[in-house]
Amino acid sequence: MNEPVIRIENVSRWYGEVLGVCGVTLQVAPGITGLLGPNGAGKSTLLKLITGQIRASHGRVFVLGEPVWNNFRLNRRLGFCPEHDSFYEEMTGLGFLSYLCRLSGWSHQGARERAAQLLARVGLAYAADRALGKYSKGMRQRAKIAQSLIHDPELLVMDEPLTGADPIARRDLLSIIRSLAAEGRGVIFSSHVLHEVEELTTTVVLMHQGKVIAEGDFREIRELINSQPHRVFLRCDRPRDMAERLLRMPHVSTVEFHEAGDGLTVLTRDARQFYTALPGVVLDLGARVDHVESPDDNLGAIFRYLVRE
């Protein structure tokens, strides 16, 4: 169970003079992994390398312990949800999935049963007989997830699976992805939206300009850069007394009062020491603290710092 589902060794891929990914070395463990980066960071290229759609210009890619390039047997163990739609628009959802099931070796009756089962799994049973061309964006995303599950794959590779979905569809898609991982499948998905990744997993791969700039648990990554200034918002009933005490701490750089007079923003060079000492300060003062929040303790702050560096 501890074996990586994906192993990438010093992989580069270029398109003429354009470098898609550069010198990527990476191991992806079982569970959900978020591949994060802005548009053009190299996420789609990396996923195409993982699924064997393109060949690495340099280096090697292994998936589920096997080399991926020109390995057609491995296709039966992988499911791919592409970023862009590739539907026969006039076909119904049931007809489209049944057709793909037949291509995967199912009998005519078995294909229809499997297709109906998958449509129900992704919440599209009500639209089984509707033409795909009349599906909304969220419905089309569900249909792509359904087609990636036809052959019951061990690993799901999903390229921007939440793009264009409305809030309700997005919530349902997140639930579907979580349930797929809970069944023991590996899931790697790309996104350029930070909070989407945070809602699904803490395990991330951050990409920028074709390179992996960080990987692992984003909370551990944040620990590694804790020497950088860390902002903390406090809402309390005695902001001036609180500020006076906090400024005595050697790791606190500045304290700013909120205009509303109900709190302050602290800039600390050591977040761990700050959070350890804060309860004692509150108890000594007898103050009431209603809210503590750090805008720097999230993926967005980590990514902005790493890209800036």
Side-chain angles (χ1 to χ4, degrees):
M1 291 298 293
N2 295 323
E3 289 294 315
V5 292
I6 299 168
R7 190 170 82 251
I8 299 173
E9 299 177 352
N10 195 25
V11 164
S12 296
R13 167 70 191 198
W14 48 82
Y15 307 92
E17 297 182 357
V18 178
L19 196 60
V21 296
C22 177
V24 171
T25 295
L26 178 67
Q27 290 192 3
V28 176
I32 303 178
T33 298
L35 183 60
L36 179 66
N39 291 327
K43 303 186 302 295
S44 292
T45 295
L46 191 63
L47 294 184
K48 288 176 181 176
L49 288 163
I50 290 169
T51 52
Q53 297 178 71
I54 58 176
R55 186 176 188 176
S57 304
H58 181 270
R60 300 188 299 172
V61 181
F62 297 88
V63 174
L64 300 173
E66 300 184 36
V68 71
W69 177 249
N70 205 26
N71 186 351
F72 67 90
R73 295 182 186 86
L74 187 60
N75 292 340
R76 290 190 172 274
R77 305 176 67 189
L78 302 180
F80 180 57
C81 178
E83 178 183 8
H84 301 293
D85 298 348
S86 296
F87 294 127
Y88 297 106
E89 302 285 339
E90 71 282 358
M91 295 182 73
T92 65
L94 181 63
F96 177 68
L97 287 179
S98 297
Y99 170 66
L100 295 180
C101 286
R102 293 296 304 276
L103 291 177
S104 294
W106 294 75
S107 67
H108 178 75
Q109 183 61 32
R112 288 186 64 83
E113 291 174 0
R114 177 64 173 166
Q117 179 188 56
L118 291 171
L119 286 170
R121 173 69 190 273
V122 299
L124 283 178
Y126 71 95
D129 296 321
R130 188 183 305 179
L132 289 165
K134 297 182 179 180
Y135 277 21
S136 68
K137 181 62 177 177
M139 294 168 70
R140 295 166 81 89
Q141 294 294 81
R142 295 176 193 234
K144 286 192 291 186
I145 293 176
Q147 63 83 26
S148 72
L149 296 172
I150 283 172
H151 51 298
D152 197 24
E154 299 170 48
L155 173 66
L156 283 169
V157 180
M158 314 178 92
D159 195 355
E160 301 278 359
L162 305 177
T163 298
D166 61 63
I168 294 176
R170 182 177 159 277
R171 178 201 63 194
D172 293 342
L173 289 167
L174 287 170
S175 178
I176 291 168
I177 295 171
R178 288 190 196 99
S179 68
L180 293 170
E183 295 172 358
R185 305 177 202 273
V187 178
I188 181 169
F189 75 100
S190 68
S191 178
H192 62 277
V193 182
L194 298 167
H195 64 81
E196 288 181 353
V197 178
E198 283 187 292
E199 287 190 44
L200 273 177
T201 183
T202 60
T203 304
V204 297
V205 176
L206 305 181
M207 293 194 70
H208 184 59
Q209 296 181 347
K211 298 180 179 180
V212 172
I213 57 175
E215 61 174 294
D217 188 311
F218 77 80
R219 295 166 300 192
E220 294 177 0
I221 298 170
R222 187 66 183 86
E223 286 288 324
L224 293 176
I225 61 174
N226 257 351
S227 59
Q228 300 303 308
H230 193 108
R231 291 172 298 164
V232 181
F233 296 161
L234 295 172
R235 190 166 64 236
C236 59
D237 63 342
R238 297 174 60 183
R240 293 196 175 276
D241 293 337
M242 184 73 71
E244 181 182 355
R245 289 293 299 272
L246 294 177
L247 283 170
R248 297 177 190 174
M249 299 179 180
H251 52 81
V252 171
S253 302
T254 62
V255 175
E256 297 179 1
F257 294 103
H258 297 173
E259 290 184 4
D262 62 346
L264 40 86
T265 298
V266 181
L267 193 66
T268 175
R269 293 183 297 275
D270 192 322
R272 180 174 292 178
Q273 283 193 43
F274 176 82
Y275 288 125
T276 300
L278 181 61
V281 174
V282 174
L283 289 172
D284 287 347
L285 289 174
R288 186 184 74 249
V289 176
D290 299 322
H291 186 74
V292 179
E293 179 185 6
S294 173
D296 292 336
D297 193 21
N298 57 48
L299 268 175
I302 294 169
F303 191 80
R304 287 191 295 272
Y305 168 76
L306 291 170
V307 170
R308 184 172 65 250
E309 290 297 296

